[in-house]
Amino acid sequence: MSAHPASLKRRLVLWLLAPLIGLSVLILAHVYLSAQEMADRVYDRVLRGSGLAIAERVVVTDDGQIEVDLPYVALEMLTSAAQDRVYYRVDSDETLITGYDDLPTSDASRSLAPGQSTVYDATYRGAPIRVIALAGASTSVQRSVPFTVYVAETTQSRRNLVLQMLLSSAGRLGATIVAALLIVWLGVNWGLRPLARLEGALGRRSPDDLRSIRHDVPREVQRLVGAINELMARLAAALESQKRFTGNASHQLRTPLSVVKAQLELASREKNPKQMRKAIEEAQRATRHSERLVEQLLLLARVDAEGGAAGSFEAFDLVDLARETTSDFAASSLKRKFDLGFEAEDGSVTVLGRRALLAEALKNLIENAMTYCPENSRITVRVRKDGHEAVLEVEDNGPGIPADRREEMSERFVRLNEHDADGSGLGLAIVREVAVLHGGDLLLTGGKRNKGLCARITIPADR
Amino acid sequence: MRVLVVEDTKSLAEAISQALRGWDYAVDMVGNGEDAEVAALAFPYDAIILDLNLPGMDGLEVLARLRERGSDIPVLILTARDTLDERVNGLDLGADDYLTKPFEITELEARIRAIIRRSHGRKHAILRAGRIAFHTVHRSVEIDERAINLPRREMLLLEALLYRTGKIVSKDQLAESMTEFDGELSSSAIELYISRLRKRLAPADLAIRAVRGLGYVLEET
């Protein structure tokens, strides 16, 4: 997660704000252009009117001179508008007849045919002006003399009009944007209210309350809540099994400890040395039992921890490992009169895995056989390759496990005989979990001629 | 006093039994729930020590069934699972006390004495009647603060009668409270012990009256 998680509200508002502002700029540009066009149309008409009024008054004297009887009303029309200044000139043959002789003309205005007109922008005395040029011809009896009337005004009023229209449009757009943002902000707030309620409800929960969430949430969030619920269910199941395991483990550890404490207390009270010795031996036996149990629990914890780190597998020869482990039991099996044997095909059976854990698993299987089989029993450790599978099995001809109970025997803390105080109920569970860790499984079947037990670990062989 | 120990770990059951027998209690051991129920309904136990984790029927179920059948023998629960739920469950089902494994034998002994006392409505560890005082903790008897020596059987008889002062106790009940599964005490043996006890208690202003066909009553004179 990033250091500053993005706020949904802020993101929505930003997403909305950027296009709205862009759109507004476009609209304002359009408003500006059309306002300018409209202002020009309106003001140009007045300008033309006053130009025409002047042109009407251009006359040719009898000696062929041009004269203008300037109608001041025509200029009055223009000056009424705001603070604009008005200029004019009348030319004939590009010579000034009357007016401001430095009022700028244009190429178009100088080549106008009579009856034509042109409008253009220019700068005069440091201010922008709008000029209209009207060409005409004044006719006396003998001749017709062409002339051009120029009328110009500064553009202050036009600019004022455009600015006014632009401002009012901008104001309306601004109000619209603010309103839209406000609506989105409130809408998101309102829309997120169920989430806030959900948050409150989850916040008030006790840490071990893993019931699923049953709040009304918007459809968009239902899948998220569904996923959370699924996670909670898995968590609850894991927690439950953890609890069961801890409960079992504590029971298994506390009972032998009780025996140790009770027997030692008795020994300390006892005056009869024989009885005292008996009590101490009982305590020692219970100590050994709890020691073995702790070893098994730690091993199980190691298998659990390894579960997440399958990357640390190494390649090794299963035949080698089985031979070595079985040899370790040779002396004790002779002492206890077991016929312990080892059978393997020639060559090696290479597997990928944790050597130490597989050795522990095999050790557990051999120890199991030696614990539950009577003297003179036959115990055989076998390794072979079966297709792509490596098979490691321990077979005995002892009492075995009834077929209908074989499945549950590899659960943690399940013992065949509940009175069996020596068994931890973890041995086969460890073997199975080691097998599963290696991508395989543990199978319990009857031994040869369905007598005894055959415990078979099958894991993938390395190719 | 006769106690039933229900515990499937044999060496623990034996250790507990040995400790209780050390104060001359009669102790029976069973290793599963079914046997526990049968025994508890058949014999007049003064207390039951009940492990919860048993093969087959578990301890809580045994307890529930005993209470359902109207048995009010005080029960001390042994549990390895130290969860509040389990303790509350046990107490709610009618257990009188609980002890979490691993425990001290001395604590177990003290708690057993306490639940037996409570079941007879006593709070004090010294039982008094007439001029006699019976110390339940170190098991000694005094008359007028002078210790007297009592043989084992007579001591047990006196304890059983003292707890029930003024009430009739049958001969069978007395016999059974002093024997274990494999032992037997005839009613003539009880009569013999009673007559010996009578003589010893005479100076203490206590009399054991026989009620014909019913049993004995301990009375102050």
Side-chain angles (χ1 to χ4, degrees), chain A residues 276-329:
Chain A
M276 192 190 289
R277 196 181 174 79
K278 200 181 145 248
I280 289 173
E281 274 165 8
E282 281 291 330
Q284 281 170 334
R285 219 167 63 88
T287 312
R288 276 196 301 274
H289 175 55
S290 39
E291 190 184 349
R292 173 84 184 129
L293 193 64
V294 168
E295 265 169 29
Q296 298 277 57
L297 282 171
L298 289 178
L299 184 60
L300 207 53
R302 237 173 79 206
V303 177
D304 277 350
E306 296 276 345
S312 52
F313 278 5
E314 50 180 344
F316 59 89
D317 181 13
L318 196 61
V319 177
D320 209 37
L321 170 126
R323 185 181 292 118
E324 231 172 71
T325 309
T326 310
S327 308
D328 289 345
F329 283 93

Side-chain angles (χ1 to χ4, degrees), chain A residues 251 254-255 258 261 269 282, chain B residues 9 11 53 80 101 104 109:
Chain A
H251 173 80
R254 281 164 190 262
T255 301
S258 305
K261 279 178 102 167
R269 290 178 189 182
E282 281 291 330
Chain B
T9 307
S11 52
N53 198 289
K101 291 179 184 177
E104 302 288 342
E109 291 167 337

Side-chain angles (χ1 to χ4, degrees), chain B residues 122 161-169 216-220:
Chain B
R122 310 277 184 134
L161 289 168
L162 272 172
Y163 270 124
R164 302 171 179 83
T165 306
K167 288 178 194 145
I168 293 180
V169 190
Y216 299 98
V217 182
L218 181 73
E219 279 181 343
E220 298 180 21

Side-chain angles (χ1 to χ4, degrees), chain B residues 7-190:
Chain B
E7 164 65 64
D8 65 325
T9 307
K10 210 155 176 267
S11 52
L12 184 58
E14 272 167 358
I16 294 171
S17 306
Q18 213 175 320
L20 296 180
R21 282 181 186 134
W23 354 308
D24 298 334
Y25 279 17
V27 183
D28 295 326
M29 285 182 276
V30 293
N32 63 64
E34 287 78 5
D35 291 352
E37 191 188 359
V38 172
L41 293 172
F43 300 103
Y45 289 109
D46 293 280
I48 299 177
I49 296 171
L50 179 62
D51 182 27
L52 286 190
N53 198 289
L54 293 171
M57 200 193 330
D58 80 358
L60 286 181
E61 203 180 332
V62 173
L63 178 60
R65 292 172 73 139
L66 286 181
R67 293 299 185 236
E68 212 173 279
R69 299 283 205 83
S71 164
D72 56 1
I73 302 171
V75 169
L76 172 75
I77 279 180
L78 291 185
T79 169
R81 271 163 233 216
D82 190 19
T83 66
L84 188 64
D85 273 358
E86 194 157 5
R87 296 196 304 252
V88 169
N89 250 335
L91 293 174
D92 278 349
L93 280 175
D96 296 83
D97 205 349
Y98 68 86
L99 205 51
T100 307
K101 291 179 184 177
F103 49 83
E104 302 288 342
I105 278 283
T106 47
E107 188 179 1
L108 177 87
E109 291 167 337
R111 282 178 191 260
I112 284 291
R113 282 193 296 267
I115 63 171
I116 292 176
R117 280 203 303 271
R118 277 208 303 271
S119 73
H120 292 291
R122 310 277 184 134
K123 285 192 174 140
H124 209 279
I126 300 171
L127 305 174
R128 286 178 197 281
R131 282 161 33 221
I132 209 164
F134 186 106
H135 293 258
T136 58
V137 181
H138 23 89
R139 307 193 66 74
S140 60
V141 182
E142 290 171 359
I143 298 177
D144 291 337
E145 311 201 346
R146 266 202 355 265
I148 59 164
N149 273 323
L150 281 183
R152 201 172 72 92
R153 301 273 184 176
E154 289 169 43
M155 181 88 110
L156 286 170
L157 273 181
L158 176 61
E159 188 180 15
L161 289 168
L162 272 172
Y163 270 124
R164 302 171 179 83
T165 306
K167 288 178 194 145
I168 293 180
V169 190
S170 74
K171 243 185 261 180
D172 282 353
Q173 208 177 333
L174 285 174
E176 280 179 342
S177 79
M178 297 194 306
T179 47
E180 299 182 351
F181 283 163
D182 46 4
E184 209 178 325
L185 210 58
S186 65
S187 60
S188 58
I190 295 287

Side-chain angles (χ1 to χ4, degrees), chain A residues 98-161:
Chain A
T98 178
Y100 300 82
D101 63 350
D102 54 352
L103 192 65
T105 62
S106 75
D107 292 340
S109 75
R110 283 190 294 275
S111 54
L112 283 176
Q116 283 181 327
S117 66
T118 181
V119 183
Y120 59 91
D121 293 300
T123 306
Y124 185 57
R125 296 188 181 173
I129 53 167
R130 181 80 168 164
V131 188
I132 186 163
L134 293 157
S138 194
T139 317
S140 70
V141 187
Q142 302 95 342
R143 49 197 281 201
S144 165
V145 183
F147 65 88
T148 309
V149 175
Y150 291 89
V151 182
E153 64 175 344
T154 52
T155 56
Q156 193 59 50
S157 298
R158 299 167 188 244
R159 276 183 290 149
N160 282 352
L161 182 65

Side-chain angles (χ1 to χ4, degrees), chain A residues 288-417:
Chain A
R288 276 196 301 274
H289 175 55
S290 39
E291 190 184 349
R292 173 84 184 129
L293 193 64
V294 168
E295 265 169 29
Q296 298 277 57
L297 282 171
L298 289 178
L299 184 60
L300 207 53
R302 237 173 79 206
V303 177
D304 277 350
E306 296 276 345
S312 52
F313 278 5
E314 50 180 344
F316 59 89
D317 181 13
L318 196 61
V319 177
D320 209 37
L321 170 126
R323 185 181 292 118
E324 231 172 71
T325 309
T326 310
S327 308
D328 289 345
F329 283 93
S332 60
S333 72
L334 285 176
K335 204 161 69 192
R336 291 166 60 192
K337 302 198 175 95
F338 286 116
D339 173 11
L340 178 66
F342 179 72
E343 294 173 10
E345 295 166 358
D346 289 341
S348 60
V349 178
T350 310
V351 294
L352 270 181
R354 306 283 300 174
R355 200 174 197 280
L357 289 183
L358 274 171
E360 284 295 336
L362 178 57
K363 222 171 101 186
N364 267 310
L365 288 180
I366 299 174
E367 272 174 358
N368 261 358
M370 289 176 58
T371 306
Y372 297 107
C373 290
E375 272 185 10
N376 298 317
S377 294
R378 202 180 155 88
I379 301 170
T380 311
V381 178
R382 242 179 247 117
V383 188
R384 64 169 186 276
K385 200 167 168 184
D386 187 0
H388 298 309
E389 309 265 75
V391 178
L392 172 62
E393 63 182 28
V394 177
E395 189 185 316
D396 65 54
N397 58 357
I401 298 174
D404 58 334
R405 296 211 53 197
R406 283 176 194 149
E407 186 82 18
E408 61 176 309
M409 288 315 294
S410 48
E411 300 286 325
R412 293 177 177 186
F413 296 117
V414 175
R415 286 177 292 174
L416 186 60
N417 177 1

